[in-house]
Amino acid sequence: MSAPTLLLLAPGDSRPATLRSADEFLCAMRSERPDLDIRLAHASNCLPSVAQTVNRIVRSGAEEVIVVGLDMLDQQGRVDNAASVAHRISDQHPHLKVIAARDFGPEPALLNVVDAKLRSALARAQVTELDGLVLAAPTAGDARAQAKLSRCARQWGHHHRLPVVVSCAEGNGGVNAASAVRSLRSEGRRHIAVGSWFLTADALWQSERDSALAAGAVAVASPLGAAEESVRVILSRYAFAAMDLLDASTDEASPTADDDFTESRPRHLSVVSA
């Protein structure tokens, strides 16, 4: 029996930067796992659409499909999230076995990518001193995701010996990136940088970037993108969803779920006294 098809679901955003990010993920995934049938579909009206991609999957003779959304945190109830799309595919193609992979969730290992992206942003802005950080996420997620995101923020702040405020662009009454920057500035901090807990440069990230800079942030990191760590997270989610399709036990921990932020690899950001 062949492995299930991996369907990457890009967010519903037609901006060129978002489309490029989705294509980069597809190329990176195919390079990492050339043995898998990996397809891309867009939740928006961009091509290829979900319907087009699924029709091609059906014509290829595949019997199982795992949908993995290119979102850092699944937004429950959204019509274009992985679970909703998987449900619609099942309704339209009853002969297919379709399952949505678990959302990314905050993975501490991805903090290494956040650091790398932030250092690039700081270099472009010619910033050498920091006294505050914001970890900007698209949404707060559920209680479990909120707890893990807070843990990641504490690890990040402890590593750099800087205060960190978590921002959430949407939902749950959380502060957005601009509010988080203003909060740190109200404490007398003036060199504040924003790390991005976004996967792709979608409209939401671009809005958060612009508002954070307008609020006084000295630099905003680009999204994580198709980094090696991001690809590993996608593959781990795919692998465990495939286990679900086989009705196998999923009690074992995800290969990346307990990865710690690798403190030996990144260098400390240059800071000024609090």
Side-chain angles (χ1 to χ4, degrees):
M1 180 183 296
S2 60
T5 294
L6 195 168
L7 175 57
L8 291 173
L9 180 66
D13 184 351
S14 60
R15 299 191 187 196
T18 309
L19 299 180
R20 284 196 300 272
S21 294
D23 289 337
E24 288 169 2
F25 265 102
L26 180 62
C27 292
M29 295 294 299
R30 285 177 169 173
S31 177
E32 181 71 18
R33 288 296 304 271
D35 57 309
L36 293 180
D37 180 23
I38 303 175
R39 312 289 181 113
L40 173 69
H42 292 272
S44 63
N45 294 324
C46 300
L47 301 179
S49 67
V50 173
Q52 288 176 322
T53 301
V54 172
N55 285 336
R56 292 168 185 159
I57 292 172
V58 170
R59 288 197 296 269
S60 74
E63 299 178 348
E64 299 175 332
V65 178
I66 295 172
V67 183
V68 182
L70 293 180
D71 289 306
M72 287 299 292
L73 293 165
D74 190 14
Q75 300 179 50
Q76 295 297 324
R78 208 180 60 189
V79 297
D80 61 349
N81 67 4
S84 298
V85 168
H87 188 268
R88 290 202 300 274
I89 294 173
S90 294
D91 287 344
Q92 295 164 5
H93 301 274
H95 62 287
L96 281 180
K97 294 180 180 178
V98 186
I99 189 171
R102 182 165 66 86
D103 61 282
F104 270 63
E107 296 291 349
L110 294 178
L111 287 171
N112 293 307
V113 189
V114 174
D115 259 7
K117 298 289 185 178
L118 185 54
R119 284 196 177 83
S120 295
L122 291 169
R124 289 192 299 271
Q126 297 184 329
V127 174
T128 59
E129 297 180 333
L130 292 179
D131 58 6
L133 293 168
V134 173
L135 185 59
T139 180
D142 57 19
R144 171 186 164 277
Q146 290 175 37
K148 292 192 71 175
L149 185 59
S150 294
R151 175 174 172 251
C152 286
R154 288 194 299 272
Q155 285 183 272
W156 198 38
H158 176 75
H159 178 65
H160 293 302
R161 298 187 289 274
L162 289 172
V164 179
V165 175
V166 176
S167 71
C168 300
E170 290 185 337
N172 296 326
V175 297
N176 60 19
S179 298
V181 171
R182 286 193 291 268
S183 173
L184 287 168
R185 287 180 64 84
S186 71
E187 299 174 2
R189 301 181 186 278
R190 293 295 179 265
H191 308 275
I192 303 161
V194 180
S196 296
W197 201 263
F198 286 75
L199 263 188
T200 60
D202 59 12
L204 195 57
W205 173 80
Q206 294 184 41
S207 175
E208 288 293 273
R209 174 200 61 192
D210 294 344
S211 65
L213 291 172
V218 296
V220 177
S222 59
L224 302 179
E228 180 181 351
E229 290 87 343
S230 302
V231 170
R232 285 205 299 263
V233 171
I234 290 177
L235 288 173
S236 71
R237 298 298 185 261
Y238 166 84
F240 276 84
M243 296 278 284
D244 286 342
L245 280 174
L246 293 171
D247 291 327
S249 171
T250 57
D251 290 338
E252 293 181 9
S254 166
T256 62
D258 293 323
D259 283 351
D260 287 329
F261 177 30
T262 307
E263 305 208 354
S264 60
R265 180 164 55 179
R267 298 181 303 276
H268 290 289
L269 301 172
S270 177
V271 300
V272 294
S273 298

